[in-house]
């Protein structure tokens, strides 16, 4: 049976009954399902008089008032008016639900079905003994220029979305340093169906996803400065792996009810910003990846740009590397990870907020173990029957090599931008073979804005990294670095702490009874 509701004109729906002709002026909204606010033009069949009214069709009191007004103005029975308005409400509701469902299907990302050849190539890649170096090489082949440590860490952090404790990351750097570009290029190595990219978010955006729509997904936020309104629910989703919002809803009879909107995680969240200090609550939950702004990195990028302009970039090789890494991600499945060496892993005393940093360190080791699941023997817990894999000493060594810079930054009392400035300052003074500097000299030679330099100097003076000195001859003031080797000393301290952990593990681990015998690897079959 054909519906009496005509929606061909999206700005003017038509609804004709035996007694009334009703226009829905401006159509209806599809993003507010708890209300049905419309503007109606109601006309009696055969008459020219039109009654126009703005109303929420889900408000029973308003419907009663409109029924009496239409009956009085158009000289028609209230029973007929109420029946036609109820039918209109039902038709609009069914149409809206159908359209919302169609829109969901339209934007739903289809899961790619791998061919036998693609499965074989991806499995062989994941089973290779040099998986981490091979991954690093393929990330480079896919078109990610430089940023060797950051890009590999970011890829592994994105991979952790499939674990029970996903990692988060924030890319930090000055404007135009390539934060968003790096995040975008690495995210291209993740399957489309596993990620959600966002630019601008409303305060309640996260609460209106389906309950499990975000589970084990990678959420990419282009600019955290444009997402300030959702930082709180985002933090809760990261920490508690679930967010709930209570809203008031009126049913068709106008009865007010309470609804709970729940969205479940876990999720891996990545974002970019230039303002490290503003997002401290979020940065505490995340790995902070400081973008390489060195001249060497500039040269790498500009060389690639010239190659691209000259048509000498092998796009086929880039695409093949990208597809291989995407397919490798598709073969990974959620599995429990146990780290038998966790009790030996301690952080340097210099690390700030050690509780959360320690959790990040252990989770990053788990992420590497998870990524190498196709090389691991799959154990079965005799008590619970749960399948799990174990972290190896090699996994911890690989994690330590990658995480040194993160731990170094976590142990630093300076912000990333201020630390970069101080290291550039040290390099400049070393080249000039001098120990003192003036503001005008640094502004001129390091090309730093006056306001920015003043901010850096205030922070460095406060933390006693530099001090004011007076020239005895000219009586003018200059600055001097208090300890040029402090950052190098901190690096040595962190290296020693990580090495001490490895020494303890090796001392506590008995040597293999047959060193030449390789551990059998239980093959993993991909999901259908």
């Amino acid at each position: 049976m054909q519906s009496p509701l005509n929606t061909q004109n999206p700005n003017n729906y038509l609804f004709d009954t035996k007694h009334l002709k009703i226009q829905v002026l401006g159509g209806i909204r599809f993003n507010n399902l708890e209300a049905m606010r419309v503007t109606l033009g109601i006309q009696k069949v055969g008459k020219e008089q039109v009654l126009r009214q703005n109303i929420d069709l889900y408000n029973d009191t308003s419907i009663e008032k409109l029924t009496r007004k239409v009956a009085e103005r158009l000289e028609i029975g209230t029973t007929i008016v109420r029946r036609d308005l109820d039918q209109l409400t039902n038709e609009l509701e069914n149409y809206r639900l159908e359209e919302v469902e169609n829109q969901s299907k339209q934007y739903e990302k289809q899961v790619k079905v791998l061919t036998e050849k693609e499965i074989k190539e991806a499995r062989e890649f994941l089973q290779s003994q040099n998986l981490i170096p091979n991954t690093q090489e393929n990330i480079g082949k896919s078109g990610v220029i430089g940023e060797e440590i950051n890009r590999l860490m970011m890829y592994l952090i994105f991979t952790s979305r499939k674990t029970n404790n996903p990692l988060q990351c924030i890319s930090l750097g000055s404007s135009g340093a390539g934060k968003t570009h790096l995040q975008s290029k690495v995210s291209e190595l993740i399957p489309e169906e596993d990620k959600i990219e966002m630019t601008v978010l409303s305060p309640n955006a996260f609460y209106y996803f389906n309950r499990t729509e975000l589970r084990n997904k990678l959420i990419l936020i282009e600019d955290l400065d444009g997402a300030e309104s959702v930082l709180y629910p985002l933090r809760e989703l990261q920490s508690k792996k679930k967010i709930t919002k209570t809203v008031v809803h009126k049913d068709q009879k106008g009865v007010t009810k309470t609804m709970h909107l729940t969205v479940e995680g876990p999720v891996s969240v990545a974002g970019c910003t230039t303002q490290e200090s503003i997002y401290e609550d979020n940065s505490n939950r995340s790995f902070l990846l400081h973008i390489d702004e060195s001249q060497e990195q500039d040269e790498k990028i500009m060389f690639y740009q010239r190659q691209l302009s000259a048509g000498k970039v092998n796009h086929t090789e880039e695409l093949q590397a990208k597809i291989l890494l995407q397919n490798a991600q598709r073969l990974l499945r959620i599995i429990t990870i146990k780290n038998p060496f966790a009790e030996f892993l301690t952080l340097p005393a210099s690390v700030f907020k050690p509780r959360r940093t320690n959790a990040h360190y252990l989770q990053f080791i788990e992420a590497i173990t998870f990524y190498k699941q196709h090389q691991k023997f799959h154990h079965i817990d005799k008590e619970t029957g749960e399948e799990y894999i174990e972290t190896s000493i090699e996994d911890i060594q690989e994690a330590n090599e990658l995480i040194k810079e993160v731990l170094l930054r976590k142990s630093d009392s300076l912000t990333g931008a201020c630390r970069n400035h101080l290291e550039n300052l040290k390099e400049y003074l070393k080249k000039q073979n001098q120990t003192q500097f003036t503001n005008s000299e640094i502004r001129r030679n390091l090309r730093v804005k006056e306001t920015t330099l003043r901010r850096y100097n205030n922070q460095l003076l406060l933390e006693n990294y530099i001090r004011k000195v007076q020239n005895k001859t000219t009586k003018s003031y200059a600055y001097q670095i208090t300890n040029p080797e402090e950052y190098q000393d901190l690096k040595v301290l962190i290296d020693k702490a990580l090495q001490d952990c490895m020494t303890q593990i090796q001392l506590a681990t008995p040597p293999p009874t047959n060193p030449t015998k390789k551990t059998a690897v239980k093959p993993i079959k991909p999901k259908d």
Side-chain angles (χ1 to χ4, degrees):
M1 180 177 176
Q2 187 175 1
S3 170
L5 180 66
N6 182 345
T7 59
Q8 289 184 352
N9 185 345
N11 296 313
N12 185 21
Y13 301 164
L14 301 177
F15 182 77
D16 293 339
T17 68
K18 183 178 179 182
H19 301 281
L20 294 175
K21 295 176 68 175
I22 303 176
Q23 295 174 280
V24 183
L25 305 170
I28 56 174
R29 297 178 64 181
F30 294 94
N31 60 345
N32 189 17
L33 299 185
E34 63 263 26
M36 180 74 77
R37 183 159 291 281
V38 294
T39 300
L40 302 180
I42 305 174
Q43 184 177 5
K44 186 177 179 181
V45 174
K47 301 291 183 179
E48 294 184 0
Q49 184 182 4
V50 179
L51 188 151
R52 296 178 179 84
Q53 179 71 44
N54 185 286
I55 187 174
D56 182 357
L57 293 176
Y58 285 170
N59 190 317
D60 196 61
T61 303
S62 299
I63 289 291
E64 287 297 329
K65 290 181 180 179
L66 179 62
T67 300
R68 290 194 295 271
K69 182 185 288 188
V70 171
E72 182 181 339
R73 292 272 188 92
L74 303 184
E75 299 178 350
I76 192 170
T78 56
T79 304
I80 295 173
V81 176
R82 181 63 193 244
R83 183 193 63 204
D84 286 357
L85 288 176
D86 285 345
Q87 187 181 358
L88 171 65
T89 303
N90 290 333
E91 291 291 339
L92 287 173
E93 185 175 68
N94 292 334
Y95 170 70
R96 182 164 67 174
L97 291 173
E98 185 179 331
E99 283 298 302
V100 169
E101 186 177 348
N102 290 338
Q103 287 177 11
S104 298
K105 289 180 180 178
Q106 181 180 352
Y107 292 108
E108 191 176 286
K109 296 176 181 177
Q110 298 298 318
V111 178
K112 179 182 177 181
V113 179
L114 302 183
T115 65
E116 288 296 327
K117 181 182 178 183
E118 287 175 327
I119 292 174
K120 181 182 177 183
E121 289 176 350
R123 186 183 292 121
E124 287 176 353
F125 174 75
L126 289 171
Q127 290 177 347
S128 62
Q129 292 302 310
N130 297 319
L131 177 58
I132 299 299
N134 289 346
T135 300
Q136 176 71 281
E137 182 184 352
N138 277 277
I139 294 175
K141 286 182 179 179
S142 70
V144 184
I145 308 303
E147 298 282 4
E148 285 78 6
I149 298 296
N150 282 341
R151 73 191 190 190
L152 182 55
M153 283 199 68
M154 190 177 285
Y155 180 77
L156 292 170
I157 288 168
F158 291 176
T159 301
S160 73
R161 74 192 183 282
K162 286 190 170 184
T163 65
N164 293 322
N165 296 300
L167 295 166
Q168 332 291 330
C169 72
I170 296 177
S171 299
L172 299 163
S174 59
S175 180
K179 305 177 298 298
T180 307
H181 179 73
L182 177 64
Q183 178 176 287
S184 175
K185 292 297 288 185
V186 176
S187 69
E188 289 177 5
L189 310 178
I190 305 299
E192 284 294 324
E193 64 269 19
D194 285 354
K195 62 186 178 184
I196 298 174
E197 299 182 62
M198 301 175 177
T199 304
V200 179
L201 301 165
S202 65
N204 295 317
F206 277 106
Y207 296 103
Y208 290 95
F209 283 99
N210 293 333
R211 188 182 187 95
T212 60
E213 191 175 352
L214 295 182
R215 188 180 292 171
N216 297 117
K217 290 291 193 294
L218 170 62
I219 298 176
L220 299 160
I221 302 175
E222 186 174 308
D223 189 352
L224 286 173
D225 298 343
E228 291 183 49
S229 57
V230 297
L231 291 184
Y232 174 73
L234 198 59
R235 288 196 297 268
E236 293 301 296
L237 194 57
Q238 289 172 308
S239 299
K240 298 181 181 178
K241 302 177 185 177
K242 183 173 73 172
I243 53 174
T244 301
K245 180 182 177 69
T246 303
V247 297
V248 175
H249 167 71
K250 288 187 179 181
D251 60 18
Q252 291 187 7
K253 295 182 179 180
V255 179
T256 302
K257 293 183 178 180
T258 300
M259 290 179 59
H260 300 287
L261 304 176
T262 300
V263 179
E264 296 177 355
V267 297
S268 177
V269 181
C272 304
T273 183
T274 59
Q275 306 177 66
E276 180 178 350
S277 57
I278 290 181
Y279 304 101
E280 185 176 358
D281 284 344
N282 289 74
S283 64
N284 289 337
R285 293 168 170 80
S286 309
F287 276 77
L288 304 182
L289 304 181
H290 294 266
I291 299 300
D292 184 358
E293 300 184 42
S294 66
Q295 186 176 353
E296 183 183 356
Q297 175 66 9
D298 291 341
E299 288 297 330
K300 289 179 182 178
I301 293 173
M302 290 188 290
F303 176 75
Y304 178 81
Q305 291 171 341
R306 289 191 289 267
Q307 292 287 99
L308 186 64
S309 182
K312 294 185 178 180
V313 173
N314 190 336
H315 294 290
T316 302
E317 184 183 54
E318 286 188 357
L319 182 61
Q320 289 174 345
K322 192 182 300 181
I323 291 173
L324 176 62
L325 292 171
Q326 287 178 351
N327 292 342
Q329 291 283 324
R330 292 186 173 102
L331 290 192
L332 298 173
R333 62 185 179 88
I334 298 173
I335 190 169
T336 301
I337 299 161
K338 294 184 179 181
N339 185 352
F341 310 105
E343 59 185 330
F344 301 106
L345 300 172
T346 55
L347 292 177
S350 59
V351 171
F352 292 106
K353 296 183 175 61
R355 297 180 185 181
R356 198 159 257 166
T357 305
N358 185 61
H360 289 163
Y361 177 42
L362 295 174
Q363 286 171 239
F364 187 67
I365 294 172
E366 288 181 10
I368 290 181
T369 304
F370 173 80
Y371 187 51
K372 297 168 72 174
Q373 63 180 252
H374 283 255
Q375 304 173 19
K376 305 289 183 181
F377 184 83
H378 288 235
H379 303 267
I380 301 295
D381 191 308
K382 293 181 180 179
E383 294 183 2
T384 63
E386 183 182 34
E387 185 180 358
Y388 68 93
I389 57 178
E390 289 188 344
T391 296
S392 67
I393 295 177
E394 290 74 18
D395 299 340
I396 298 172
Q397 288 174 329
E398 288 173 330
N400 286 351
E401 287 300 314
L402 289 171
I403 209 170
K404 282 180 183 178
E405 180 67 21
V406 172
L407 293 180
L408 187 61
R409 296 282 189 170
K410 288 279 187 181
S411 305
D412 196 358
S413 59
L414 299 177
T415 62
C418 192
R419 168 55 65 184
N420 291 340
H421 168 72
L422 180 57
E423 294 307 302
N424 289 338
L425 192 57
K426 290 177 184 177
E427 187 68 25
Y428 168 77
L429 293 176
K430 186 178 178 180
K431 287 181 179 178
Q432 300 299 318
N433 194 25
Q434 61 189 61
T435 59
Q436 297 181 6
F437 63 92
T438 62
N439 281 344
S440 58
E441 177 186 8
I442 297 307
R443 286 201 307 269
R444 183 174 62 254
N445 292 290
L446 296 187
R447 301 176 68 184
V448 183
K449 291 181 180 179
E450 182 181 359
T451 53
T452 305
L453 183 58
R454 191 183 304 123
R455 187 175 70 249
Y456 289 157
N457 284 347
N458 289 338
Q459 186 176 354
L460 293 172
L461 284 168
L462 186 65
E463 299 287 346
N464 198 34
Y465 284 94
I466 62 174
R467 61 171 173 261
K468 273 187 177 183
V469 292
Q470 187 176 29
N471 190 307
K472 294 180 180 180
T473 306
T474 62
K475 301 297 183 180
S476 62
Y477 282 96
Y479 295 97
Q480 186 176 34
I481 294 176
T482 54
N483 181 7
E485 302 300 324
E486 48 83 24
Y487 203 50
Q488 192 61 38
D489 293 342
L490 190 57
K491 282 183 181 180
V492 171
L493 181 66
I494 289 173
D495 284 345
K496 184 178 182 303
L498 295 177
Q499 188 55 50
D500 287 346
C501 292
M502 297 307 303
T503 302
Q504 290 184 39
I505 290 172
Q506 288 163 355
L507 289 174
T509 306
T513 54
N514 185 2
T516 59
K517 184 177 179 181
K518 292 184 179 179
T519 305
V521 177
K522 178 182 176 183
I524 302 176
K525 293 182 179 180
K527 286 184 177 181
D528 294 333

